[in-house]
């Protein structure tokens, strides 16, 4: 039962990036059955000021209520913080398919650490790494706006955190 509810809640689309689910984005941290008809869900936003957390919580509550869970509590958990390493391979693929350059994976073998200043960002349209930063912020604070020098197309880049 718990696994099925986790799957349902995790399948909720991200309100700002609807091509990926909350599980694929890695913000869905867990779900626990607290008793008959009572569930607690843990979410970790991409950053502490994320305005989409309320919408995520409402969407999760709706999905679980629709599947017979009368009492749903969604908690925001900030520790450990979310990083772009939490995005699944499927989530990265879906971002790229949608024209958003996914973040490069942090070097897990080196223990993570600071993100290098000079990043080669691959264009999701033509694959070139000859891209330029147009704006540090795009349609959401977690994305930057870039343009490809090879094909000329602008695109969003999900920032590495």
């Amino acid at each position: 039962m718990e696994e099925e509810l986790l799957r349902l809640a995790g399948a909720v689309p991200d309100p700002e990036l609807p091509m990926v689910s909350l599980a694929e984005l890695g913000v869905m941290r867990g779900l626990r059955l607290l008793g008959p008809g009572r569930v607690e869900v843990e979410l970790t936003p991409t950053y502490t000021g994320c305005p989409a957390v309320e919408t995520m919580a409402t969407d999760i509550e709706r999905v679980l209520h629709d599947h017979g869970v009368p009492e749903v509590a969604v908690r925001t958990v900030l520790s450990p913080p979310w990083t772009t390493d939490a995005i699944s391979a499927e989530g990265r693929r879906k971002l790229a398919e949608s024209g958003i350059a996914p973040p490069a994976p942090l070097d897990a073998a080196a223990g993570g650490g600071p993100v290098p200043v000079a990043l080669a960002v691959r264009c999701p349209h033509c694959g070139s790494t000859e891209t330029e930063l147009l704006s540090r912020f795009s349609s959401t604070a977690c994305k930057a706006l870039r343009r490809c020098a090879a094909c000329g197309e602008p695109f969003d880049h999900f920032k590495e955190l």
Side-chain angles (χ1 to χ4, degrees):
M1 173 78 164
E2 196 169 88
E3 282 183 31
E4 175 64 10
L5 294 175
L6 179 62
R7 186 191 64 72
L8 289 167
V12 168
D14 180 82
E16 294 177 333
L17 301 162
M19 75 288 297
V20 294
S21 70
L22 298 180
E24 292 164 339
L25 189 57
V27 298
M28 180 80 185
R29 285 288 168 96
L31 180 143
R32 287 191 316 251
L33 286 172
L34 301 176
R38 292 180 52 223
V39 172
E40 179 181 75
V41 177
E42 292 182 342
L43 282 178
T44 299
T46 57
Y47 70 103
T48 57
C50 179
V53 172
E54 285 183 38
T55 302
M56 289 182 220
T58 300
D59 291 349
I60 288 170
E61 289 169 2
R62 180 186 41 76
V63 165
L64 295 180
H65 287 315
D66 289 351
H67 284 84
V69 181
E71 191 177 328
V72 179
V74 179
R75 276 190 335 121
T76 301
V77 179
L78 300 178
S79 182
W82 179 89
T83 72
T84 51
D85 276 348
I87 301 174
S88 71
E90 180 67 4
R92 290 171 192 276
R93 184 190 66 73
K94 287 180 177 180
L95 287 170
E97 269 185 8
S98 299
I100 299 173
L106 297 175
D107 185 4
V115 175
V117 175
L119 295 172
V121 177
R122 187 170 303 281
C123 173
H125 303 292
C126 73
S128 172
T129 56
E130 294 182 35
T131 63
E132 62 182 336
L133 180 67
L134 297 178
S135 175
R136 289 182 54 218
F137 297 99
S138 183
S139 58
T140 62
C142 56
K143 293 184 289 192
L145 182 62
R146 300 188 74 88
R147 178 176 43 230
C148 178
C151 71
E153 289 293 321
F155 62 93
D156 282 336
H157 168 232
F158 204 107
K159 298 176 196 174
E160 286 81 2
L161 292 175

